Coordinates of all heavy atoms in Angstrom, one line a residue:
G446 N 31.7 -5.0 -30.0 CA 32.4 -4.4 -31.0 C 31.8 -3.1 -31.6 O 32.5 -2.2 -32.0
T447 N 30.5 -3.0 -31.5 CA 29.8 -1.8 -32.0 C 30.1 -0.6 -31.1 O 30.2 0.5 -31.6 CB 28.3 -2.1 -32.0 OG1 28.1 -3.2 -32.9 CG2 27.6 -0.9 -32.7
S448 N 30.1 -0.8 -29.8 CA 30.2 0.3 -28.8 C 31.7 0.5 -28.3 O 31.9 1.4 -27.5 CB 29.3 0.1 -27.7 OG 29.5 -1.1 -27.0
Y449 N 32.6 -0.3 -28.8 CA 33.9 -0.3 -28.2 C 34.6 1.1 -28.4 O 35.1 1.7 -27.4 CB 34.8 -1.3 -28.9 CG 36.3 -1.1 -28.8 CD1 36.9 -1.4 -27.6 CD2 37.1 -0.5 -29.8 CE1 38.3 -1.2 -27.4 CE2 38.4 -0.3 -29.6 CZ 39.0 -0.6 -28.4 OH 40.4 -0.4 -28.2
G450 N 34.4 1.7 -29.5 CA 35.1 3.0 -29.8 C 34.6 4.1 -28.9 O 35.5 4.9 -28.3
V451 N 33.3 4.3 -28.7 CA 32.8 5.3 -27.9 C 33.2 5.1 -26.4 O 33.5 6.1 -25.7 CB 31.3 5.5 -28.1 CG1 30.5 4.3 -27.6 CG2 30.8 6.8 -27.5
L452 N 33.2 3.9 -26.0 CA 33.5 3.7 -24.6 C 35.0 3.9 -24.3 O 35.4 4.5 -23.3 CB 33.1 2.3 -24.1 CG 33.4 1.9 -22.7 CD1 32.7 2.8 -21.7 CD2 33.0 0.4 -22.3
R453 N 35.8 3.5 -25.3 CA 37.2 3.7 -25.2 C 37.5 5.2 -25.1 O 38.3 5.7 -24.2 CB 38.0 3.1 -26.3 CG 39.5 3.3 -26.4 CD 40.0 3.2 -27.8 NE 39.3 4.2 -28.7 CZ 39.2 4.0 -30.0 NH1 39.7 2.9 -30.6 NH2 38.6 4.9 -30.7
D454 N 36.9 6.0 -25.9 CA 37.1 7.4 -25.9 C 36.6 8.1 -24.6 O 37.3 9.0 -24.1 CB 36.4 8.1 -27.1 CG 37.0 7.7 -28.4 OD1 38.1 7.1 -28.4 OD2 36.4 7.9 -29.5
A455 N 35.5 7.6 -24.1 CA 35.0 8.1 -22.9 C 35.9 7.8 -21.7 O 36.2 8.7 -20.8 CB 33.6 7.6 -22.6
L456 N 36.4 6.6 -21.6 CA 37.3 6.3 -20.5 C 38.6 7.0 -20.6 O 39.2 7.4 -19.5 CB 37.5 4.8 -20.5 CG 36.3 3.9 -20.2 CD1 36.6 2.4 -20.4 CD2 35.9 4.1 -18.7
Q457 N 39.1 7.2 -21.8 CA 40.4 7.8 -21.9 C 40.4 9.4 -21.8 O 41.2 10.0 -21.1 CB 41.0 7.4 -23.2 CG 41.4 5.9 -23.3 CD 42.0 5.5 -24.6 OE1 42.0 6.3 -25.5 NE2 42.4 4.2 -24.7
T458 N 39.4 9.9 -22.4 CA 39.3 11.4 -22.4 C 38.6 12.0 -21.2 O 38.8 13.1 -20.7 CB 38.5 12.0 -23.7 OG1 37.2 11.5 -23.6 CG2 39.2 11.5 -24.9
G459 N 37.7 11.1 -20.5 CA 37.0 11.6 -19.4 C 37.6 11.3 -18.1 O 37.0 11.5 -17.0

Side-chain angles (χ1 to χ4, degrees):
T447 305
S448 57
Y449 164 75
V451 67
L452 181 60
R453 177 202 57 204
D454 293 346
L456 291 172
Q457 293 178 354
T458 62

